[in-house]
Amino acid sequence: MLTITQELVDRIVAHARKDHPDEACGVVAGAAGSDRPERFVPMLNAAMSPTFYEFDSGDLLRLYREMDDRDEEPVVIYHSHTATEAYPSRTDISYANEPGAHYVLVSTADTDGGGDFQFRSFRIVEGEVTEEEVRTVEAY
């Protein structure tokens, strides 16, 4: 289960809406081993595409060095889908290389009649996708 503050959910959704019609992407870092998302790090979608996201390699290297210096790890890796449901694509699955991370997908398309966005979380380990419950809290 992903436990995340409502503020972080709101920030991720706002980033997805801001970058629409392109996919948005980013990381929420947290203390290593804590499984607690804390530091919101929106990233640039270097692909600038409505159907694909790609972290800029230089930005990603800087982020990982920064997380290492702060004894952090990527607790949440998020991106948006602009025209499809919030479910990992084959490409998303093939690029998932952080087995401990929660992969959050936000869809800015109303694909299920449930509103203007979906917010879902998955674990992706060795190509296997497992959806998990998302619990929002006001604070940890």
Side-chain angles (χ1 to χ4, degrees):
M1 173 173 41
L2 169 62
T3 301
I4 187 169
T5 63
Q6 186 63 53
E7 176 191 2
L8 286 170
V9 169
D10 293 345
R11 291 178 83 180
I12 291 169
V13 170
H15 183 202
R17 287 180 173 151
K18 181 178 87 53
D19 283 11
H20 187 88
D22 290 338
E23 290 191 3
C25 58
V27 172
V28 184
S34 71
D35 198 39
R36 181 182 288 182
E38 294 183 355
R39 188 168 63 92
F40 177 70
V41 185
M43 304 283 284
L44 172 70
N45 177 356
M48 298 179 120
S49 167
T51 59
F52 180 73
Y53 83 98
E54 181 177 33
F55 291 116
D56 177 83
S57 59
D59 289 348
L60 196 58
L61 179 61
R62 279 188 290 283
L63 174 61
Y64 271 81
R65 285 182 174 157
E66 187 178 282
M67 286 190 299
D68 191 48
D69 289 346
R70 297 170 63 128
D71 198 25
E72 292 176 330
E73 62 189 4
V75 177
V76 169
I77 298 171
Y78 73 87
H79 77 281
S80 63
H81 284 179
T82 61
T84 59
E85 72 173 319
Y87 190 86
S89 68
R90 285 190 303 268
T91 303
D92 298 338
I93 295 165
S94 70
Y95 284 178
N97 61 1
E98 288 287 348
H102 303 270
Y103 285 89
V104 165
L105 277 98
V106 174
S107 176
T108 54
D110 182 5
T111 58
D112 64 359
D116 61 350
F117 75 92
Q118 298 172 341
F119 187 101
R120 297 167 72 184
S121 184
F122 304 87
R123 294 293 190 148
I124 305 174
V125 179
E126 296 180 6
E128 175 115 4
V129 177
T130 306
E131 187 165 8
E132 62 183 351
E133 180 183 344
V134 176
R135 182 170 69 105
T136 57
V137 296
E138 288 306 310
Y140 300 119

